[in-house]
Amino acid sequence: MTAVKFNVPFESLIEAITSLDLEKKRQLLEILEDLLFEEEESIEQELQVIAEIEAARKAYQMGDYQTIQGYIASQSSKNL
């Protein structure tokens, strides 16, 4: 499917939608709901990542972290 992008005044878009028959309006509604779901899911994932980054920064500032050297040392002591 080839997409063509162009600007349509919102009022013209509303007029075009109101002129559609019921079946076409239902198809459009389904498309819009799918697009909205995808965008909302993307936003939720972004917010979750931001929250995780903030939590990691707070933990680091409080000294709640392990250096790579500490991790390697703890792993090598487990293997003994």
PDB file of all heavy atoms in Angstrom, residues 36-70:
ATOM      1  N   LEU A  36      -5.450   4.618  17.315  1.00  0.00           N
ATOM      2  CA  LEU A  36      -5.435   5.151  18.670  1.00  0.00           C
ATOM      3  C   LEU A  36      -4.858   4.140  19.648  1.00  0.00           C
ATOM      4  O   LEU A  36      -4.053   4.485  20.521  1.00  0.00           O
ATOM      5  CB  LEU A  36      -6.839   5.555  19.108  1.00  0.00           C
ATOM      6  CG  LEU A  36      -7.364   6.860  18.526  1.00  0.00           C
ATOM      7  CD1 LEU A  36      -8.839   7.023  18.852  1.00  0.00           C
ATOM      8  CD2 LEU A  36      -6.574   8.033  19.052  1.00  0.00           C
ATOM      9  N   PHE A  37      -5.242   2.890  19.508  1.00  0.00           N
ATOM     10  CA  PHE A  37      -4.732   1.835  20.390  1.00  0.00           C
ATOM     11  C   PHE A  37      -3.216   1.739  20.277  1.00  0.00           C
ATOM     12  O   PHE A  37      -2.503   1.673  21.284  1.00  0.00           O
ATOM     13  CB  PHE A  37      -5.386   0.495  20.059  1.00  0.00           C
ATOM     14  CG  PHE A  37      -4.857  -0.637  20.884  1.00  0.00           C
ATOM     15  CD1 PHE A  37      -5.271  -0.806  22.196  1.00  0.00           C
ATOM     16  CD2 PHE A  37      -3.931  -1.526  20.347  1.00  0.00           C
ATOM     17  CE1 PHE A  37      -4.783  -1.851  22.971  1.00  0.00           C
ATOM     18  CE2 PHE A  37      -3.434  -2.568  21.113  1.00  0.00           C
ATOM     19  CZ  PHE A  37      -3.864  -2.728  22.430  1.00  0.00           C
ATOM     20  N   GLU A  38      -2.703   1.748  19.054  1.00  0.00           N
ATOM     21  CA  GLU A  38      -1.257   1.657  18.834  1.00  0.00           C
ATOM     22  C   GLU A  38      -0.533   2.849  19.454  1.00  0.00           C
ATOM     23  O   GLU A  38       0.497   2.690  20.104  1.00  0.00           O
ATOM     24  CB  GLU A  38      -0.946   1.583  17.342  1.00  0.00           C
ATOM     25  CG  GLU A  38      -1.347   0.278  16.690  1.00  0.00           C
ATOM     26  CD  GLU A  38      -1.205   0.304  15.177  1.00  0.00           C
ATOM     27  OE1 GLU A  38      -0.565   1.243  14.649  1.00  0.00           O
ATOM     28  OE2 GLU A  38      -1.719  -0.613  14.525  1.00  0.00           O
ATOM     29  N   GLU A  39      -1.076   4.050  19.258  1.00  0.00           N
ATOM     30  CA  GLU A  39      -0.437   5.255  19.803  1.00  0.00           C
ATOM     31  C   GLU A  39      -0.476   5.253  21.317  1.00  0.00           C
ATOM     32  O   GLU A  39       0.504   5.604  21.969  1.00  0.00           O
ATOM     33  CB  GLU A  39      -1.120   6.509  19.250  1.00  0.00           C
ATOM     34  CG  GLU A  39      -0.906   6.652  17.767  1.00  0.00           C
ATOM     35  CD  GLU A  39      -0.398   8.009  17.388  1.00  0.00           C
ATOM     36  OE1 GLU A  39      -0.152   8.853  18.269  1.00  0.00           O
ATOM     37  OE2 GLU A  39      -0.242   8.228  16.178  1.00  0.00           O
ATOM     38  N   GLU A  40      -1.607   4.875  21.906  1.00  0.00           N
ATOM     39  CA  GLU A  40      -1.723   4.848  23.363  1.00  0.00           C
ATOM     40  C   GLU A  40      -0.777   3.816  23.951  1.00  0.00           C
ATOM     41  O   GLU A  40      -0.146   4.054  24.977  1.00  0.00           O
ATOM     42  CB  GLU A  40      -3.167   4.566  23.782  1.00  0.00           C
ATOM     43  CG  GLU A  40      -4.093   5.734  23.527  1.00  0.00           C
ATOM     44  CD  GLU A  40      -5.560   5.395  23.713  1.00  0.00           C
ATOM     45  OE1 GLU A  40      -5.904   4.199  23.818  1.00  0.00           O
ATOM     46  OE2 GLU A  40      -6.364   6.338  23.744  1.00  0.00           O
ATOM     47  N   GLU A  41      -0.648   2.681  23.294  1.00  0.00           N
ATOM     48  CA  GLU A  41       0.263   1.637  23.761  1.00  0.00           C
ATOM     49  C   GLU A  41       1.705   2.142  23.703  1.00  0.00           C
ATOM     50  O   GLU A  41       2.493   1.908  24.619  1.00  0.00           O
ATOM     51  CB  GLU A  41       0.094   0.390  22.894  1.00  0.00           C
ATOM     52  CG  GLU A  41       0.790  -0.823  23.441  1.00  0.00           C
ATOM     53  CD  GLU A  41       0.460  -2.060  22.612  1.00  0.00           C
ATOM     54  OE1 GLU A  41       0.904  -2.120  21.454  1.00  0.00           O
ATOM     55  OE2 GLU A  41      -0.236  -2.942  23.132  1.00  0.00           O
ATOM     56  N   SER A  42       2.033   2.844  22.653  1.00  0.00           N
ATOM     57  CA  SER A  42       3.378   3.402  22.503  1.00  0.00           C
ATOM     58  C   SER A  42       3.671   4.416  23.604  1.00  0.00           C
ATOM     59  O   SER A  42       4.758   4.401  24.198  1.00  0.00           O
ATOM     60  CB  SER A  42       3.506   4.066  21.125  1.00  0.00           C
ATOM     61  OG  SER A  42       4.748   4.707  21.006  1.00  0.00           O
ATOM     62  N   ILE A  43       2.704   5.259  23.903  1.00  0.00           N
ATOM     63  CA  ILE A  43       2.871   6.261  24.961  1.00  0.00           C
ATOM     64  C   ILE A  43       3.046   5.580  26.309  1.00  0.00           C
ATOM     65  O   ILE A  43       3.908   5.971  27.107  1.00  0.00           O
ATOM     66  CB  ILE A  43       1.682   7.244  24.980  1.00  0.00           C
ATOM     67  CG1 ILE A  43       1.738   8.150  23.745  1.00  0.00           C
ATOM     68  CG2 ILE A  43       1.669   8.071  26.262  1.00  0.00           C
ATOM     69  CD1 ILE A  43       0.496   8.991  23.541  1.00  0.00           C
ATOM     70  N   GLU A  44       2.254   4.557  26.579  1.00  0.00           N
ATOM     71  CA  GLU A  44       2.374   3.829  27.844  1.00  0.00           C
ATOM     72  C   GLU A  44       3.754   3.211  27.980  1.00  0.00           C
ATOM     73  O   GLU A  44       4.347   3.236  29.058  1.00  0.00           O
ATOM     74  CB  GLU A  44       1.301   2.746  27.940  1.00  0.00           C
ATOM     75  CG  GLU A  44      -0.088   3.289  28.167  1.00  0.00           C
ATOM     76  CD  GLU A  44      -1.157   2.216  28.089  1.00  0.00           C
ATOM     77  OE1 GLU A  44      -0.821   1.023  27.966  1.00  0.00           O
ATOM     78  OE2 GLU A  44      -2.346   2.574  28.152  1.00  0.00           O
ATOM     79  N   GLN A  45       4.276   2.662  26.904  1.00  0.00           N
ATOM     80  CA  GLN A  45       5.609   2.058  26.943  1.00  0.00           C
ATOM     81  C   GLN A  45       6.657   3.128  27.196  1.00  0.00           C
ATOM     82  O   GLN A  45       7.598   2.910  27.962  1.00  0.00           O
ATOM     83  CB  GLN A  45       5.895   1.301  25.649  1.00  0.00           C
ATOM     84  CG  GLN A  45       5.095   0.028  25.518  1.00  0.00           C
ATOM     85  CD  GLN A  45       5.284  -0.656  24.189  1.00  0.00           C
ATOM     86  OE1 GLN A  45       5.912  -0.141  23.279  1.00  0.00           O
ATOM     87  NE2 GLN A  45       4.722  -1.847  24.057  1.00  0.00           N
ATOM     88  N   GLU A  46       6.503   4.295  26.559  1.00  0.00           N
ATOM     89  CA  GLU A  46       7.446   5.391  26.779  1.00  0.00           C
ATOM     90  C   GLU A  46       7.404   5.837  28.231  1.00  0.00           C
ATOM     91  O   GLU A  46       8.452   6.065  28.836  1.00  0.00           O
ATOM     92  CB  GLU A  46       7.126   6.561  25.856  1.00  0.00           C
ATOM     93  CG  GLU A  46       7.463   6.320  24.404  1.00  0.00           C
ATOM     94  CD  GLU A  46       7.034   7.449  23.499  1.00  0.00           C
ATOM     95  OE1 GLU A  46       6.765   8.559  24.007  1.00  0.00           O
ATOM     96  OE2 GLU A  46       6.963   7.236  22.287  1.00  0.00           O
ATOM     97  N   LEU A  47       6.198   5.959  28.791  1.00  0.00           N
ATOM     98  CA  LEU A  47       6.068   6.382  30.181  1.00  0.00           C
ATOM     99  C   LEU A  47       6.684   5.350  31.117  1.00  0.00           C
ATOM    100  O   LEU A  47       7.316   5.699  32.124  1.00  0.00           O
ATOM    101  CB  LEU A  47       4.604   6.624  30.534  1.00  0.00           C
ATOM    102  CG  LEU A  47       3.930   7.802  29.819  1.00  0.00           C
ATOM    103  CD1 LEU A  47       2.455   7.856  30.174  1.00  0.00           C
ATOM    104  CD2 LEU A  47       4.610   9.112  30.177  1.00  0.00           C
ATOM    105  N   GLN A  48       6.532   4.078  30.813  1.00  0.00           N
ATOM    106  CA  GLN A  48       7.108   3.018  31.634  1.00  0.00           C
ATOM    107  C   GLN A  48       8.633   3.087  31.585  1.00  0.00           C
ATOM    108  O   GLN A  48       9.295   2.969  32.613  1.00  0.00           O
ATOM    109  CB  GLN A  48       6.628   1.647  31.162  1.00  0.00           C
ATOM    110  CG  GLN A  48       7.178   0.512  31.993  1.00  0.00           C
ATOM    111  CD  GLN A  48       6.682  -0.849  31.523  1.00  0.00           C
ATOM    112  OE1 GLN A  48       5.861  -0.943  30.616  1.00  0.00           O
ATOM    113  NE2 GLN A  48       7.194  -1.891  32.123  1.00  0.00           N
ATOM    114  N   VAL A  49       9.195   3.300  30.410  1.00  0.00           N
ATOM    115  CA  VAL A  49      10.642   3.400  30.274  1.00  0.00           C
ATOM    116  C   VAL A  49      11.161   4.612  31.041  1.00  0.00           C
ATOM    117  O   VAL A  49      12.169   4.524  31.750  1.00  0.00           O
ATOM    118  CB  VAL A  49      11.057   3.472  28.784  1.00  0.00           C
ATOM    119  CG1 VAL A  49      12.522   3.840  28.630  1.00  0.00           C
ATOM    120  CG2 VAL A  49      10.766   2.152  28.093  1.00  0.00           C
ATOM    121  N   ILE A  50      10.480   5.734  30.934  1.00  0.00           N
ATOM    122  CA  ILE A  50      10.877   6.938  31.657  1.00  0.00           C
ATOM    123  C   ILE A  50      10.852   6.676  33.162  1.00  0.00           C
ATOM    124  O   ILE A  50      11.777   7.061  33.878  1.00  0.00           O
ATOM    125  CB  ILE A  50       9.972   8.128  31.268  1.00  0.00           C
ATOM    126  CG1 ILE A  50      10.261   8.550  29.825  1.00  0.00           C
ATOM    127  CG2 ILE A  50      10.171   9.296  32.228  1.00  0.00           C
ATOM    128  CD1 ILE A  50       9.260   9.533  29.256  1.00  0.00           C
ATOM    129  N   ALA A  51       9.817   6.016  33.640  1.00  0.00           N
ATOM    130  CA  ALA A  51       9.711   5.700  35.066  1.00  0.00           C
ATOM    131  C   ALA A  51      10.848   4.772  35.500  1.00  0.00           C
ATOM    132  O   ALA A  51      11.424   4.947  36.581  1.00  0.00           O
ATOM    133  CB  ALA A  51       8.361   5.070  35.372  1.00  0.00           C
ATOM    134  N   GLU A  52      11.189   3.796  34.671  1.00  0.00           N
ATOM    135  CA  GLU A  52      12.275   2.876  34.997  1.00  0.00           C
ATOM    136  C   GLU A  52      13.619   3.601  35.043  1.00  0.00           C
ATOM    137  O   GLU A  52      14.454   3.333  35.913  1.00  0.00           O
ATOM    138  CB  GLU A  52      12.318   1.725  33.997  1.00  0.00           C
ATOM    139  CG  GLU A  52      11.143   0.771  34.137  1.00  0.00           C
ATOM    140  CD  GLU A  52      11.092  -0.275  33.040  1.00  0.00           C
ATOM    141  OE1 GLU A  52      11.965  -0.273  32.136  1.00  0.00           O
ATOM    142  OE2 GLU A  52      10.162  -1.104  33.072  1.00  0.00           O
ATOM    143  N   ILE A  53      13.831   4.521  34.133  1.00  0.00           N
ATOM    144  CA  ILE A  53      15.070   5.297  34.119  1.00  0.00           C
ATOM    145  C   ILE A  53      15.158   6.166  35.367  1.00  0.00           C
ATOM    146  O   ILE A  53      16.208   6.240  36.017  1.00  0.00           O
ATOM    147  CB  ILE A  53      15.180   6.158  32.836  1.00  0.00           C
ATOM    148  CG1 ILE A  53      15.391   5.249  31.623  1.00  0.00           C
ATOM    149  CG2 ILE A  53      16.304   7.189  32.952  1.00  0.00           C
ATOM    150  CD1 ILE A  53      15.269   5.956  30.291  1.00  0.00           C
ATOM    151  N   GLU A  54      14.061   6.814  35.726  1.00  0.00           N
ATOM    152  CA  GLU A  54      14.044   7.648  36.933  1.00  0.00           C
ATOM    153  C   GLU A  54      14.320   6.809  38.181  1.00  0.00           C
ATOM    154  O   GLU A  54      15.072   7.232  39.068  1.00  0.00           O
ATOM    155  CB  GLU A  54      12.714   8.380  37.058  1.00  0.00           C
ATOM    156  CG  GLU A  54      12.552   9.494  36.045  1.00  0.00           C
ATOM    157  CD  GLU A  54      11.177  10.159  36.111  1.00  0.00           C
ATOM    158  OE1 GLU A  54      10.366   9.814  36.996  1.00  0.00           O
ATOM    159  OE2 GLU A  54      10.925  11.025  35.265  1.00  0.00           O
ATOM    160  N   ALA A  55      13.739   5.625  38.251  1.00  0.00           N
ATOM    161  CA  ALA A  55      13.975   4.743  39.396  1.00  0.00           C
ATOM    162  C   ALA A  55      15.442   4.322  39.461  1.00  0.00           C
ATOM    163  O   ALA A  55      16.034   4.282  40.546  1.00  0.00           O
ATOM    164  CB  ALA A  55      13.064   3.519  39.313  1.00  0.00           C
ATOM    165  N   ALA A  56      16.031   4.027  38.322  1.00  0.00           N
ATOM    166  CA  ALA A  56      17.442   3.631  38.284  1.00  0.00           C
ATOM    167  C   ALA A  56      18.336   4.793  38.718  1.00  0.00           C
ATOM    168  O   ALA A  56      19.312   4.597  39.448  1.00  0.00           O
ATOM    169  CB  ALA A  56      17.817   3.164  36.883  1.00  0.00           C
ATOM    170  N   ARG A  57      18.005   6.010  38.290  1.00  0.00           N
ATOM    171  CA  ARG A  57      18.792   7.182  38.693  1.00  0.00           C
ATOM    172  C   ARG A  57      18.717   7.396  40.204  1.00  0.00           C
ATOM    173  O   ARG A  57      19.730   7.682  40.848  1.00  0.00           O
ATOM    174  CB  ARG A  57      18.299   8.429  37.965  1.00  0.00           C
ATOM    175  CG  ARG A  57      18.735   8.486  36.525  1.00  0.00           C
ATOM    176  CD  ARG A  57      18.282   9.758  35.856  1.00  0.00           C
ATOM    177  NE  ARG A  57      18.750   9.801  34.486  1.00  0.00           N
ATOM    178  CZ  ARG A  57      18.157  10.454  33.521  1.00  0.00           C
ATOM    179  NH1 ARG A  57      17.054  11.143  33.758  1.00  0.00           N
ATOM    180  NH2 ARG A  57      18.652  10.438  32.305  1.00  0.00           N
ATOM    181  N   LYS A  58      17.531   7.261  40.766  1.00  0.00           N
ATOM    182  CA  LYS A  58      17.369   7.427  42.208  1.00  0.00           C
ATOM    183  C   LYS A  58      18.164   6.371  42.961  1.00  0.00           C
ATOM    184  O   LYS A  58      18.831   6.665  43.947  1.00  0.00           O
ATOM    185  CB  LYS A  58      15.894   7.358  42.601  1.00  0.00           C
ATOM    186  CG  LYS A  58      15.111   8.592  42.230  1.00  0.00           C
ATOM    187  CD  LYS A  58      13.654   8.464  42.616  1.00  0.00           C
ATOM    188  CE  LYS A  58      12.866   9.673  42.152  1.00  0.00           C
ATOM    189  NZ  LYS A  58      11.432   9.549  42.435  1.00  0.00           N
ATOM    190  N   ALA A  59      18.098   5.132  42.483  1.00  0.00           N
ATOM    191  CA  ALA A  59      18.840   4.053  43.128  1.00  0.00           C
ATOM    192  C   ALA A  59      20.340   4.348  43.066  1.00  0.00           C
ATOM    193  O   ALA A  59      21.062   4.160  44.051  1.00  0.00           O
ATOM    194  CB  ALA A  59      18.527   2.715  42.460  1.00  0.00           C
ATOM    195  N   TYR A  60      20.812   4.834  41.926  1.00  0.00           N
ATOM    196  CA  TYR A  60      22.234   5.153  41.766  1.00  0.00           C
ATOM    197  C   TYR A  60      22.637   6.272  42.731  1.00  0.00           C
ATOM    198  O   TYR A  60      23.674   6.186  43.392  1.00  0.00           O
ATOM    199  CB  TYR A  60      22.527   5.558  40.323  1.00  0.00           C
ATOM    200  CG  TYR A  60      23.959   5.951  40.093  1.00  0.00           C
ATOM    201  CD1 TYR A  60      24.958   4.991  39.970  1.00  0.00           C
ATOM    202  CD2 TYR A  60      24.326   7.293  40.004  1.00  0.00           C
ATOM    203  CE1 TYR A  60      26.278   5.336  39.772  1.00  0.00           C
ATOM    204  CE2 TYR A  60      25.649   7.653  39.810  1.00  0.00           C
ATOM    205  CZ  TYR A  60      26.614   6.681  39.694  1.00  0.00           C
ATOM    206  OH  TYR A  60      27.924   7.035  39.511  1.00  0.00           O
ATOM    207  N   GLN A  61      21.804   7.316  42.811  1.00  0.00           N
ATOM    208  CA  GLN A  61      22.105   8.431  43.701  1.00  0.00           C
ATOM    209  C   GLN A  61      22.150   7.991  45.163  1.00  0.00           C
ATOM    210  O   GLN A  61      22.909   8.542  45.950  1.00  0.00           O
ATOM    211  CB  GLN A  61      21.079   9.560  43.518  1.00  0.00           C
ATOM    212  CG  GLN A  61      21.222  10.271  42.193  1.00  0.00           C
ATOM    213  CD  GLN A  61      20.073  11.220  41.907  1.00  0.00           C
ATOM    214  OE1 GLN A  61      19.056  11.209  42.594  1.00  0.00           O
ATOM    215  NE2 GLN A  61      20.246  12.056  40.888  1.00  0.00           N
ATOM    216  N   MET A  62      21.362   6.991  45.516  1.00  0.00           N
ATOM    217  CA  MET A  62      21.338   6.486  46.888  1.00  0.00           C
ATOM    218  C   MET A  62      22.441   5.446  47.122  1.00  0.00           C
ATOM    219  O   MET A  62      22.579   4.924  48.226  1.00  0.00           O
ATOM    220  CB  MET A  62      19.961   5.879  47.200  1.00  0.00           C
ATOM    221  CG  MET A  62      18.854   6.918  47.210  1.00  0.00           C
ATOM    222  SD  MET A  62      17.190   6.227  47.348  1.00  0.00           S
ATOM    223  CE  MET A  62      17.334   5.197  48.779  1.00  0.00           C
ATOM    224  N   GLY A  63      23.216   5.154  46.092  1.00  0.00           N
ATOM    225  CA  GLY A  63      24.298   4.187  46.232  1.00  0.00           C
ATOM    226  C   GLY A  63      23.842   2.747  46.089  1.00  0.00           C
ATOM    227  O   GLY A  63      24.589   1.823  46.398  1.00  0.00           O
ATOM    228  N   ASP A  64      22.640   2.567  45.623  1.00  0.00           N
ATOM    229  CA  ASP A  64      22.077   1.220  45.472  1.00  0.00           C
ATOM    230  C   ASP A  64      22.400   0.681  44.081  1.00  0.00           C
ATOM    231  O   ASP A  64      21.551   0.632  43.197  1.00  0.00           O
ATOM    232  CB  ASP A  64      20.564   1.270  45.705  1.00  0.00           C
ATOM    233  CG  ASP A  64      19.935  -0.108  45.670  1.00  0.00           C
ATOM    234  OD1 ASP A  64      20.675  -1.111  45.771  1.00  0.00           O
ATOM    235  OD2 ASP A  64      18.697  -0.177  45.537  1.00  0.00           O
ATOM    236  N   TYR A  65      23.665   0.322  43.883  1.00  0.00           N
ATOM    237  CA  TYR A  65      24.096  -0.228  42.608  1.00  0.00           C
ATOM    238  C   TYR A  65      25.314  -1.103  42.832  1.00  0.00           C
ATOM    239  O   TYR A  65      25.906  -1.098  43.914  1.00  0.00           O
ATOM    240  CB  TYR A  65      24.418   0.876  41.601  1.00  0.00           C
ATOM    241  CG  TYR A  65      25.581   1.761  42.016  1.00  0.00           C
ATOM    242  CD1 TYR A  65      26.877   1.460  41.631  1.00  0.00           C
ATOM    243  CD2 TYR A  65      25.364   2.887  42.792  1.00  0.00           C
ATOM    244  CE1 TYR A  65      27.940   2.258  42.019  1.00  0.00           C
ATOM    245  CE2 TYR A  65      26.416   3.702  43.174  1.00  0.00           C
ATOM    246  CZ  TYR A  65      27.705   3.387  42.784  1.00  0.00           C
ATOM    247  OH  TYR A  65      28.746   4.179  43.168  1.00  0.00           O
ATOM    248  N   GLN A  66      25.661  -1.860  41.809  1.00  0.00           N
ATOM    249  CA  GLN A  66      26.825  -2.731  41.889  1.00  0.00           C
ATOM    250  C   GLN A  66      27.730  -2.425  40.713  1.00  0.00           C
ATOM    251  O   GLN A  66      27.257  -2.348  39.567  1.00  0.00           O
ATOM    252  CB  GLN A  66      26.390  -4.199  41.863  1.00  0.00           C
ATOM    253  CG  GLN A  66      27.518  -5.174  42.037  1.00  0.00           C
ATOM    254  CD  GLN A  66      27.036  -6.617  42.086  1.00  0.00           C
ATOM    255  OE1 GLN A  66      26.016  -6.936  41.496  1.00  0.00           O
ATOM    256  NE2 GLN A  66      27.763  -7.464  42.788  1.00  0.00           N
ATOM    257  N   THR A  67      29.007  -2.248  40.977  1.00  0.00           N
ATOM    258  CA  THR A  67      29.956  -2.005  39.892  1.00  0.00           C
ATOM    259  C   THR A  67      30.195  -3.299  39.128  1.00  0.00           C
ATOM    260  O   THR A  67      29.924  -4.393  39.634  1.00  0.00           O
ATOM    261  CB  THR A  67      31.299  -1.489  40.430  1.00  0.00           C
ATOM    262  OG1 THR A  67      31.890  -2.510  41.236  1.00  0.00           O
ATOM    263  CG2 THR A  67      31.122  -0.211  41.233  1.00  0.00           C
ATOM    264  N   ILE A  68      30.727  -3.163  37.938  1.00  0.00           N
ATOM    265  CA  ILE A  68      31.024  -4.358  37.144  1.00  0.00           C
ATOM    266  C   ILE A  68      32.091  -5.198  37.838  1.00  0.00           C
ATOM    267  O   ILE A  68      32.029  -6.433  37.823  1.00  0.00           O
ATOM    268  CB  ILE A  68      31.425  -3.998  35.685  1.00  0.00           C
ATOM    269  CG1 ILE A  68      31.505  -5.241  34.795  1.00  0.00           C
ATOM    270  CG2 ILE A  68      32.727  -3.242  35.652  1.00  0.00           C
ATOM    271  CD1 ILE A  68      30.183  -5.898  34.545  1.00  0.00           C
ATOM    272  N   GLN A  69      33.049  -4.528  38.489  1.00  0.00           N
ATOM    273  CA  GLN A  69      34.077  -5.257  39.219  1.00  0.00           C
ATOM    274  C   GLN A  69      33.456  -6.053  40.369  1.00  0.00           C
ATOM    275  O   GLN A  69      33.823  -7.206  40.615  1.00  0.00           O
ATOM    276  CB  GLN A  69      35.149  -4.296  39.770  1.00  0.00           C
ATOM    277  CG  GLN A  69      35.979  -3.630  38.695  1.00  0.00           C
ATOM    278  CD  GLN A  69      35.321  -2.350  38.137  1.00  0.00           C
ATOM    279  OE1 GLN A  69      34.208  -1.986  38.523  1.00  0.00           O
ATOM    280  NE2 GLN A  69      36.009  -1.716  37.210  1.00  0.00           N
ATOM    281  N   GLY A  70      32.519  -5.434  41.080  1.00  0.00           N
ATOM    282  CA  GLY A  70      31.833  -6.126  42.165  1.00  0.00           C
ATOM    283  C   GLY A  70      31.023  -7.305  41.661  1.00  0.00           C
ATOM    284  O   GLY A  70      30.989  -8.372  42.285  1.00  0.00           O
TER     285      GLY A  70
END
